[in-house]
Amino acid sequence: MKRAFTLIELLVVVAVIAILVAIAVPNYRRAVARSEIAACQGNLHALGTALLAYQSDYGAFPLADGTAGWEPSPTRTVFGHGPAGNGYWSGVPRSLLLLGYLGSEEALYCPTLARRFPERRDYLRYAYNKAALDAGGSLGGADNLDRDAGDLWVCRCLFVPPGSRGEDDSPITYPHGPDPESESDRPVMENVLFHTGRVELRNAARAGGGN
């Protein structure tokens, strides 16, 4: 005699599957987030190595790219059209890739931001703390990478100045988080490469200012 599932049994199976999905999905998302944080830190370590190699060869760090695009732009900036910070900041120089100091273009981008905002990719290169020439990048100063021995930030995931959201006003959020010390679940963490070569996951508000 064939025995069919009762409605109660089916409901129990559905409930068990729902519970397993509820457990698995957050764990999967956390695993993806951890993987992207690690990949981002790997990119920043590669950038640190490339920048130090360039400095060794040329006696100075390269100037930032001031505008978005596929060609290096170390001599000019256009407010709202920068390659980093959603268009409002100077970006890691593409010359590192063209001159062979970097082996992959992906190292120029935080993987989380590249995935989350693919339509803004041109404006979301890693921010870089050495401005283009027309923004005073060669003048030195308190946060000049070539002259200051302090523990300055060199590259970071985003760095959107307060009140600036970008050319099309699209909401760009910091990629890694949320901050465990914050009551908000909004992502406010980013990876930061410092002058000493270390890379840290830090609260974006505490990562320091820049050039």
Side-chain angles (χ1 to χ4, degrees), residues 49-153:
T49 300
L51 288 167
L52 288 175
Y54 183 102
Q55 183 195 37
S56 176
D57 289 343
Y58 291 93
F61 285 102
L63 291 172
D65 284 343
T67 61
W70 292 95
E71 297 296 329
S73 53
T75 62
R76 65 191 185 280
T77 53
V78 179
F79 188 65
H81 292 267
N86 200 25
Y88 280 80
W89 199 256
S90 297
V92 171
R94 188 173 288 276
S95 59
L96 292 175
L97 180 66
L98 301 179
L99 293 172
Y101 291 98
L102 284 177
S104 170
E105 182 180 337
E106 298 307 311
L108 300 175
Y109 300 91
C110 167
T112 302
L113 289 175
R115 173 184 57 80
R116 191 178 293 166
F117 304 104
E119 75 286 354
R120 297 294 294 165
R121 181 179 172 88
D122 287 349
Y123 301 94
L124 290 174
R125 212 181 303 172
Y126 283 109
Y128 178 50
N129 195 13
K130 189 168 174 61
L133 190 64
D134 70 340
S138 64
L139 300 180
D143 53 3
N144 183 270
L145 296 181
D146 299 315
R147 305 182 187 182
D148 198 306
D151 196 14
L152 309 170
W153 75 266

Side-chain angles (χ1 to χ4, degrees), residues 21-36 115 177:
V21 169
I23 294 172
V25 169
N27 286 339
Y28 172 76
R29 289 176 177 169
R30 283 192 290 270
V32 169
R34 287 194 295 268
S35 174
E36 288 184 341
R115 173 184 57 80

